[in-house]
Amino acid sequence: MPSQIDTNGNVFNPENGETSNSGCALLTSRLPRSVDVFGFVLSPGQFALVQVLATLMLGMNGSIVLLFAIGAYSLFQKFTGGGGSASSTARSKKPAWKAGGNIKGVKDLPKDPKGG
């Protein structure tokens, strides 16, 4: 009987009951599920694509600078407690007029003062 793959991604041999970890399962268990790139949450595959495109467009030095900037951004977000969602301004204690209020269109904007 051929080997099978269990729910954890491990190769399982039903004849002798041995389980072996595949290299892919070991690698994916160590990768983060998402990468925060300047506020955009990317999967590891998307981040790899961004890195390849950055290397093609900016060269190796530009790619290294981009990685350094992403690392600095991540550390800044970690130490300042940032990294909230886009709706964090709605939960803040700012007055409604500073957090966006109920402006849904151009008609909701304040009128220009007449005179001059």
Side-chain angles (χ1 to χ4, degrees):
M1 185 182 233
S3 298
Q4 298 174 348
I5 298 177
D6 66 0
T7 57
N8 295 328
N10 298 324
V11 178
F12 177 73
N13 190 347
E15 292 176 358
N16 57 9
E18 291 181 0
T19 302
S20 64
N21 290 334
S22 65
C24 185
L26 184 61
L27 179 64
T28 56
S29 67
R30 292 185 180 194
L31 286 177
R33 299 222 183 246
S34 63
V35 181
D36 183 12
V37 180
F38 305 118
F40 296 99
V41 180
L42 303 177
S43 68
Q46 292 170 331
F47 178 71
L49 180 65
V50 166
Q51 193 61 40
V52 166
L53 290 175
T55 303
L56 289 175
M57 290 188 277
L58 302 173
M60 188 55 77
N61 290 338
S63 179
I64 292 170
V65 169
L66 178 67
L67 281 175
F68 178 75
I70 291 171
Y73 170 80
S74 297
L75 285 175
F76 177 77
Q77 291 296 316
K78 187 177 196 177
F79 289 125
T80 60
S85 64
S87 63
S88 63
T89 56
R91 291 190 305 256
S92 67
K93 298 193 186 251
K94 293 180 181 178
W97 60 275
K98 281 189 176 180
N102 292 324
I103 298 174
K104 296 179 182 172
V106 177
K107 293 179 184 177
D108 297 329
L109 294 172
K111 306 289 186 246
D112 288 334
K114 304 278 181 184

